[in-house]
Amino acid sequence: MKTFSILFLFIGLSVSAQIKTLALWPEGKMPNKQKSDEKEVINKGDIRWITKVQTPTLEIYIPPKASANGQAVLVCPGGGYAGLAYDWEGTEIAKYLNSKGIAAGVLKYRLPGSASVKENFKAPLQDAQRGIRMLRANASAWNIDKKKLGVMGFSAGGHLASTLGTHFQEAFYSAIDETDSEEIRPDFMILIYPVISMDTKITHQGSRDNLLGDHPTEALEKQFSNDLQVTANTPKTFILHASDDDTVPVENSLRMYKALQEHDVETEMHIYPTGGHGFSLANGMYYLQSWSDRLTDWLRNLN
């Protein structure tokens, strides 16, 4: 019994040592910040829901070195740019990726409606760009291959992921330290029931309003319609959606797929007939829950 107790203690310490939470920005160096009395709110109901993010972080999940395959994913939870479904589309996803030998960093990013943000639409992308740079800057310590580092996002987090993958020509903030010398282009994108377009005919109106405001300019609407920003240098992409999604129309994914195909970007897309919106890993949802196997196959093929 004593031997088993020591063994379980060792296993517990080993597992906990593989998870760490890091502040994205050094103290006093966060860009696009203004003073406010706003406080971060964490609702620990069925889904851990975070709003009014004040201290953006990167929660790192590192698989054991023996099983690490070198891949890493920056995970962007969704929430309509109003909040973050932090465990449902964040930490639970990171644990799944770890089980496949893939490192993950869950991004707790600032939301555009925060009173602590100056230019609303820039804040999420600034945090995402910093997040992928942090993963690359620590690649050696975390058993990551810098050339196998992608981004994954759900719903509005899918919009953020696709923004990172189509707006990498320049950083949205000035460099503050050595980490910012790292590349911001992801090597691949994973877009799960993503918001893609700001076109009012197909967008998720809440995400659009929260990110761009009620009356954005035509130029800003086009800039953040990411199907219009695809080029031949856009990263390889995996797309997943359900046809009966009545929150984010499947047309978002169809437009992105079409744009990627037109620019000869390697893309795999899976459209399920049912599933609705916000199903995460779809546990217990019959054959829909096998979507993660399709993703695992695709990721293995990238290697």
Side-chain angles (χ1 to χ4, degrees), residues 42-260:
I42 302 176
N43 185 330
K44 298 180 180 179
D46 291 341
I47 294 177
R48 190 181 184 196
W49 179 250
I50 304 178
T51 58
K52 301 179 180 179
V53 173
Q54 301 299 301
T55 305
T57 59
L58 192 65
E59 187 168 343
I60 308 298
Y61 287 73
I62 308 170
K65 188 172 184 178
S67 62
N69 66 13
Q71 290 181 326
V73 175
L74 179 70
V75 181
C76 305
Y81 282 125
L84 303 177
Y86 191 75
D87 52 358
W88 185 244
E89 296 172 345
T91 56
E92 291 303 305
I93 304 303
K95 293 171 187 175
Y96 175 81
L97 292 169
N98 265 198
S99 73
K100 305 302 178 182
I102 303 166
V106 181
L107 186 69
K108 186 179 76 170
Y109 55 92
R110 287 173 292 167
L111 298 159
S114 170
S116 302
V117 168
K118 291 179 182 178
E119 294 183 277
N120 294 2
F121 68 91
K122 288 185 177 181
L125 182 54
Q126 288 170 331
D127 290 348
Q129 289 183 337
R130 177 72 177 183
I132 198 165
R133 281 173 158 172
M134 285 182 65
L135 287 172
R136 283 202 165 99
N138 291 278
S140 178
W142 297 342
N143 307 316
I144 296 171
D145 184 333
K146 286 188 180 185
K147 296 181 180 179
K148 297 180 179 180
L149 208 163
V151 63
M152 180 179 193
F154 296 75
S155 193
H159 183 266
L160 179 56
S162 64
T163 305
L164 183 66
T166 55
H167 292 69
F168 52 79
Q169 295 83 0
E170 63 175 326
F172 270 52
Y173 65 94
S174 299
I176 59 174
D177 57 21
E178 190 174 344
T179 294
D180 290 328
S181 65
E182 297 289 346
E183 175 62 54
I184 56 177
R185 179 188 181 275
D187 296 302
F188 56 87
M189 296 191 293
I190 304 166
L191 309 178
I192 312 300
Y193 41 85
V195 179
I196 293 294
S197 177
M198 295 291 107
D199 182 345
T200 54
K201 295 176 183 177
I202 68 163
T203 193
H204 175 245
Q205 195 65 41
S207 295
R208 181 183 187 272
D209 291 349
N210 289 328
L211 182 65
L212 304 183
D214 295 337
H215 304 289
T217 64
E218 184 178 341
L220 195 62
E221 181 181 300
K222 181 179 179 181
Q223 182 182 6
F224 286 93
S225 291
N226 292 329
D227 57 310
L228 303 180
Q229 307 305 321
V230 171
T231 70
N233 199 31
T234 299
K236 299 176 182 179
T237 305
F238 178 98
I239 304 173
L240 175 79
H241 220 120
S243 291
D244 66 346
D245 189 332
D246 58 5
T247 301
V248 177
V250 69
E251 182 67 24
N252 282 268
S253 286
L254 295 175
R255 284 195 187 184
M256 189 63 170
Y257 179 80
K258 184 174 184 290
L260 291 162

